[in-house]
Amino acid sequence: MKKYKYIIFDLDNTLLNFTKSEHYALQDLFAKYGVIFNEENFSTYKEINHELWSKLEEGTIQKPAVLETRFARFFATQGLQVDGKKADDEYRQFLEGRNDLMDGAYELLDYLTEAGYILFAGTNGVGRTQRQRLKNAEMAHYFKELYISEEVGFEKPDVRFFDTIFTQENIKDLSKVLMIGDSLSSDIRGANRVGINSIWLNLSSDISIEDKPTYECLSLKNIKELMNNNNL
């Protein structure tokens, strides 16, 4: 008998290649505003964006503060005054046109579905964007339900994000739930806070110091092997 029955999947950089999609979407957005897309400007944006998303995960700011100010702040470093909300919407349109997947995503989802696991998507992000990207990838049908932070009202690692899933799906035995994701600060920390096991998809060969996952894999193929070989 398998150890787990329910699997909650993160999406960005777990199943969907957000890094690649973001790169091309930003390239298009910068061009629209006449800004050169180079390593320096990309790094400047990433620093601003990371700062805001970290504060969001910590609960010190709300999502509109991220979406409405990140591009206004970035373009200000380029000497441009822009409507941050409008720029974010334009960026999101470019992002929603992408269909970039992580290697082995379909193979893992096919294996887990055929093995009888019940799959949920549990992602931090904007509802319309995440749903469109899943549609582009023809991946939505793998999931019993999609739980997106904007719609749920809480961001991972907030326990209320996970509690919403457990309540909605009437999941009582948390020992049967497994979280799979690439982010220590949201996926693994959230799993630990709520008391469920986790697989950390470690794409950068980092070492987890504070947020300890139950299992660690370096690729989606490794996750498939782990689940299969250990009857998880």
Side-chain angles (χ1 to χ4, degrees):
M1 186 176 179
K2 293 187 181 298
K3 180 176 177 64
Y4 302 108
K5 179 178 180 180
Y6 309 100
I7 299 178
I8 304 172
F9 266 104
D10 173 55
L11 292 182
D12 287 330
N13 287 337
T14 299
L15 295 173
L16 303 178
N17 192 330
F18 178 77
T19 298
K20 185 175 182 179
S21 295
E22 178 191 46
H23 179 91
Y24 285 106
L26 287 173
Q27 198 171 56
D28 290 339
L29 183 69
F30 285 17
K32 184 179 180 70
Y33 284 88
V35 172
I36 297 172
F37 185 82
N38 56 24
E39 189 60 39
E40 180 181 356
N41 289 339
F42 181 56
S43 294
T44 299
Y45 166 76
K46 292 284 283 184
E47 289 173 8
I48 294 169
N49 191 53
H50 178 72
E51 173 200 332
L52 291 170
W53 275 98
S54 294
K55 289 180 178 179
L56 180 64
E57 288 181 0
E58 293 165 0
T60 58
I61 62 174
Q62 298 298 310
K63 181 163 285 179
V66 178
L67 305 184
E68 296 175 11
T69 65
R70 57 181 175 175
F71 287 113
R73 283 179 55 182
F74 166 72
F75 284 117
T77 69
Q78 307 298 306
L80 298 174
Q81 184 175 351
V82 307
D83 182 330
K85 189 174 185 299
K86 179 174 181 287
D88 188 81
D89 189 65
E90 292 166 336
Y91 161 73
R92 202 156 297 290
Q93 290 178 41
F94 290 130
L95 193 64
E96 289 166 5
R98 300 296 307 176
N99 180 27
D100 303 299
L101 307 179
M102 302 298 289
D103 290 340
Y106 287 132
E107 291 81 0
L108 177 59
L109 290 171
D110 282 337
Y111 165 75
L112 295 174
T113 299
E114 291 168 8
Y117 295 97
I118 299 173
L119 309 182
F120 306 103
T123 175
N124 285 350
V126 175
R128 106 180 188 206
T129 302
Q130 299 300 67
R131 290 178 183 278
Q132 183 60 51
R133 292 171 65 221
L134 279 175
K135 182 179 179 181
N136 294 348
E138 297 183 351
M139 198 176 277
H141 68 279
Y142 286 104
F143 302 104
K144 182 174 184 291
E145 189 57 76
L146 311 179
Y147 290 91
I148 304 170
S149 61
E150 181 188 56
E151 299 169 355
V152 171
F154 306 103
E155 307 280 332
K156 296 177 295 181
D158 194 316
V159 296
R160 291 171 293 182
F161 178 92
F162 295 91
D163 285 341
T164 298
I165 300 176
F166 305 148
T167 300
Q168 291 285 98
E169 303 299 334
N170 197 31
I171 297 173
K172 305 295 186 184
D173 185 357
L174 298 189
S175 70
K176 292 293 185 180
V177 184
L178 180 68
M179 175 77 214
I180 299 178
D182 71 297
S183 172
L184 288 171
S185 63
S186 61
D187 303 318
I188 307 309
R189 184 174 299 168
N192 289 342
R193 284 180 177 178
V194 81
I196 61 174
N197 287 353
S198 63
I199 297 178
W200 177 35
L201 179 59
N202 183 359
L203 300 173
S204 54
S205 300
D206 287 338
I207 298 175
S208 173
I209 299 176
E210 295 182 14
D211 302 291
K212 297 293 186 182
T214 313
Y215 313 97
E216 180 179 335
C217 291
L218 300 180
S219 69
L220 295 183
K221 180 180 179 182
N222 290 157
I223 293 178
K224 178 182 175 181
E225 292 169 348
L226 173 73
M227 300 291 290
N228 185 50
N229 295 341
N230 295 278
N231 199 35
L232 299 181

